[in-house]
């Protein structure tokens, strides 16, 4: 590792890997920091060393990541795995911890490729042990060949069906899929069917997944309007309601999912401007056509800049890298445009399916703004809906003030698991648009850092420059 | 309960989970080890003492905090097993260790 790079990329998912490859082609000195021990991000997690013997269970799309990972390893950029980036300043000073040693380096250009995380799913009992996310089920499948027999999957969105399908492929019993997609979404989504039909591969994939799940005899229960997790020391049953009556399924493992949203902690902490995306119901950094944010020299690529999926992330990563290379003076405007053209065309094609998916899998308000007063919103500090309602009633005007009122959002996850719920709850209580309520003010370090690490802060040796 | 669906050939390492030795595949995270062993709860919260277990498996939720080699507040889903690693569940607020107390007060 050097003490200065022309380009620093945070995240080795599809966007980060593609950005590194593009930078290497043009000869900029680049570094890729990633928290995991191997490249791939969450979507291609463990793609170089998949844990399961049977490769077929994960589906064909997963293996695309292997080529990206190989390119990253071979392209000559400095790839630093196991690296936690806890700060990027507006002047692009990067604080990163590797193997317990915290370091400060600098970069002329930064690409934030920190991807997505799963949308909070605050229902009663979601904090019980053995209630996990669909994404976590997939991580365990990919990286450890572990699966939970007899689990219930509940929620909405492509990932939920994909993981249930992967379980079925692996011969693991799925007790039920409780589908929370509102029936009205199907009608609304037909409006975007024309665009979706121009991306038939995604429609076909969706149909194939659902057919596979049903063919395996898994009960697919649609129109679920209410959910609660039951259990004392861990979950023992899921209760759900479609109409008036509660139904009960005994289960010692539940996977929840209602879509993914940009992981904005780093981009917010840098000071990039974010706006509320009403179609995707999330905060999203403002970027120009080259992915550059409102902070000079800081670009955002991939799902971190709005959800478009793994393939789009790859094209965005490439486009953002070309933008950075242009700003570095490595390439001129003509070369930038020429090299970006294929990625731009592919990105436009990739985005065609999004309006359909966003409409069909738009999580309903009753699962985003929890109606039950006792539902925990902030898992870290155990703040429930009632406490937030009370704070707003006595004059709390936004997420930042709510911290002083209740400690909501002040735990180690730094709002990642409650931020969206809090913005939407306060908007609901005050009858104001979410865009006016805003989000937590996030500051570095965005991941916990020991004082000892800070006290012994290093800069890579000058000889490495 | 999580079970192995057919793992590729991997070397095994020995870890110590609360005085009990277990052999686990290299490459596993600590959280994967706990789940495979049927350990559903890995800590109790500092606020109400409620049990919690791994939730996101990707380092964002901080639910899977455990004590590793005596060091509290370690994310079990982000730490990979090593030969001889000691793993313990975390109860309530993390305690500051004796080493920290022994550090010299700069004001003296």
């Amino acid at each position: 590792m050097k003490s200065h790079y022309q380009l620093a990329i945070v995240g080795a998912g599809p966007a980060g890997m593609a950005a590194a490859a593009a930078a290497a082609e043009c000869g900029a000195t680049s570094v890729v920091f990633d928290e995991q021990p191997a490249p791939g991000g969450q979507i291609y997690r463990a793609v170089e060393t998949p844990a399961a013997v049977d490769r077929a269970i994960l589906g064909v799309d997963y293996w695309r990541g292997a080529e990206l990972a190989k390119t990253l390893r071979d392209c000559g950029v400095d790839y630093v795995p196991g690296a936690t980036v806890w700060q990027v300043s507006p002047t692009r000073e990067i604080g990163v911890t590797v193997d317990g040693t915290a370091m400060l380096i600098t970069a002329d250009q930064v690409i934030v490729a920190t991807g997505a995380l799963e949308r909070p799913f605050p229902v009663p009992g979601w904090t019980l042990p053995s209630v996990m996310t669909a994404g976590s089920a997939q991580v365990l499948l990919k990286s450890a060949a572990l699966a939970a027999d007899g689990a219930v999957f509940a929620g909405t969105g492509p990932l939920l069906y994909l993981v249930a399908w992967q379980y079925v492929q692996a011969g693991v019993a799925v007790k039920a899929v409780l589908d929370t997609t509102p029936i009205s979404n199907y009608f609304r989504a037909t409006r975007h069917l024309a665009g979706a039909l121009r991306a038939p591969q995604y429609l076909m994939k969706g149909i194939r997944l659902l057919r596979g799940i049903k063919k395996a005899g898994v009960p697919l229960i649609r129109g679920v309007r209410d959910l609660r997790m039951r259990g004392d020391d861990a979950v023992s049953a899921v209760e759900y309601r479609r109409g008036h009556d509660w139904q009960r399924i005994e289960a010692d493992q539940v996977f929840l999912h209602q879509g993914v949203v940009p992981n904005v902690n780093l981009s917010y902490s840098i000071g990039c401007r974010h706006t509320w995306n009403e179609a995707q119901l999330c905060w999203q950094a403002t970027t120009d056509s080259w992915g550059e944010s409102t902070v000079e020299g800081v670009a955002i690529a991939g799902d971190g800049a709005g959800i478009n999926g793994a393939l789009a992330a790859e094209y965005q990563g490439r486009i953002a890298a070309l933008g950075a290379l242009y700003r570095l003076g490595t390439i001129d405007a003509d070369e930038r445009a020429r090299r970006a053209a294929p990625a731009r065309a592919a990105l436009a094609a990739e985005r065609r399916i999004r309006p359909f998916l966003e409409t069909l899998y738009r999580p309903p308000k009753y699962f985003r703004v929890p109606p039950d007063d006792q539902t925990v919103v902030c898992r870290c500090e155990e703040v429930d809906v009632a406490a937030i309602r009370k704070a707003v009633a006595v004059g709390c005007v936004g997420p930042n003030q709510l911290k002083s009122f209740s400690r909501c959002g002040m735990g180690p996850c730094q709002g990642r698991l409650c931020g969206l719920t809090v913005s939407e709850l306060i908007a609901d209580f005050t009858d104001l648009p979410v865009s006016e309520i805003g989000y937590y003010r996030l500051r570095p370090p965005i991941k916990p850092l020991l004082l000892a690490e800070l006290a012994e802060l290093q800069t890579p040796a000058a000889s490495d420059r | 309960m999580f079970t192995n669906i057919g793992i590729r050939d991997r070397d095994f390492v020995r870890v110590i989970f609360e005085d009990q030795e277990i052999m686990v595949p290299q490459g596993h995270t600590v959280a994967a080890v706990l789940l495979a062993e049927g350990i559903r709860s890995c800590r109790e919260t500092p606020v109400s003492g409620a049990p919690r277990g791994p939730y996101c498996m990707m380092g964002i939720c901080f639910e899977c905090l455990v004590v590793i080699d005596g060091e509290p507040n370690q994310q079990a889903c982000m730490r990979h097993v090593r030969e001889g690693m000691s793993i313990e569940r975390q109860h309530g607020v993390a305690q500051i260790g004796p080493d920290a107390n022994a550090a010299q007060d700069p004001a003296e």
Side-chain angles (χ1 to χ4, degrees), chain A residues 186-208:
Chain A
Y186 292 93
F187 298 107
R188 289 204 186 94
T190 54
R191 196 184 313 154
H192 302 288
L193 199 56
L197 287 169
R198 292 174 71 201
Q201 69 278 17
Y202 285 106
L203 285 182
M204 294 312 294
K205 185 176 179 180
I207 291 166
R208 188 165 49 83

Side-chain angles (χ1 to χ4, degrees), chain B residues 65-86:
Chain B
L65 300 178
V66 293
V67 182
I68 295 178
D69 294 332
E71 189 94 34
N73 287 333
Q74 301 299 302
Q75 290 183 281
C77 74
M78 298 297 284
R79 294 287 304 270
H80 290 76
V81 291
R82 253 183 312 92
E83 177 67 28
M85 180 186 261
S86 137

Side-chain angles (χ1 to χ4, degrees), chain B:
Chain B
M1 173 84 185
F2 282 89
T3 50
N4 177 353
I5 56 153
I7 193 165
R8 257 164 219 279
D9 266 351
R10 284 194 177 173
D11 292 338
F12 279 69
V13 295
R14 183 186 53 100
V15 300
I16 300 125
F17 174 68
E18 296 176 358
D19 302 329
Q20 176 198 342
E21 281 193 14
I22 39 180
M23 298 300 288
V24 298
Q26 190 118 47
H28 264 33
T29 60
V30 171
V33 167
L34 296 179
L35 292 169
E37 288 294 314
I39 310 294
R40 303 170 75 188
S41 155
C42 62
R43 70 175 182 116
E44 284 107 46
T45 62
V47 181
S48 74
R52 294 283 171 89
Y55 180 73
C56 76
M57 289 302 290
M58 55 181 270
I60 59 157
C61 76
F62 293 81
E63 291 290 14
C64 63
L65 300 178
V66 293
V67 182
I68 295 178
D69 294 332
E71 189 94 34
N73 287 333
Q74 301 299 302
Q75 290 183 281
C77 74
M78 298 297 284
R79 294 287 304 270
H80 290 76
V81 291
R82 253 183 312 92
E83 177 67 28
M85 180 186 261
S86 137
I87 304 160
E88 295 160 90
R89 280 172 281 205
Q90 183 165 312
H91 305 287
V93 185
Q95 300 299 310
I96 294 173
D99 289 354
N101 291 335
Q104 203 180 343
D105 187 345
E108 277 176 16

Side-chain angles (χ1 to χ4, degrees), chain A residues 359-439:
Chain A
T359 312
L360 181 58
Y361 298 124
R362 183 183 176 88
K365 187 176 170 186
Y366 43 85
F367 282 126
R368 305 192 323 266
V369 181
D372 188 333
D373 258 9
Q374 274 72 56
T375 305
V376 170
V377 174
C378 168
R379 299 174 60 110
C380 298
E381 297 290 339
E382 296 178 69
V383 181
D384 62 14
V385 174
I388 299 170
R389 185 193 302 279
K390 212 168 116 190
V392 171
V394 296
C396 170
V397 295
N400 288 306
Q401 215 179 24
L402 184 61
K403 292 181 186 176
S404 330
F405 275 89
S406 67
R407 287 200 56 81
C408 188
M410 293 181 76
C413 97
Q414 293 287 291
R416 288 168 176 92
L417 274 286
C418 69
L420 282 171
T421 314
V422 162
S423 290
E424 288 210 81
L425 261 176
I426 299 178
D428 189 58
F429 292 156
T430 56
D431 214 12
L432 287 168
V434 183
S435 55
E436 276 182 46
I437 299 302
Y439 195 63

Side-chain angles (χ1 to χ4, degrees), chain A residues 238-242 245-249:
Chain A
V238 186
E239 292 176 347
Y240 69 96
R241 198 152 63 158
R242 291 200 285 180
D245 297 325
W246 285 95
Q247 311 286 322
R248 185 181 169 94
I249 302 176

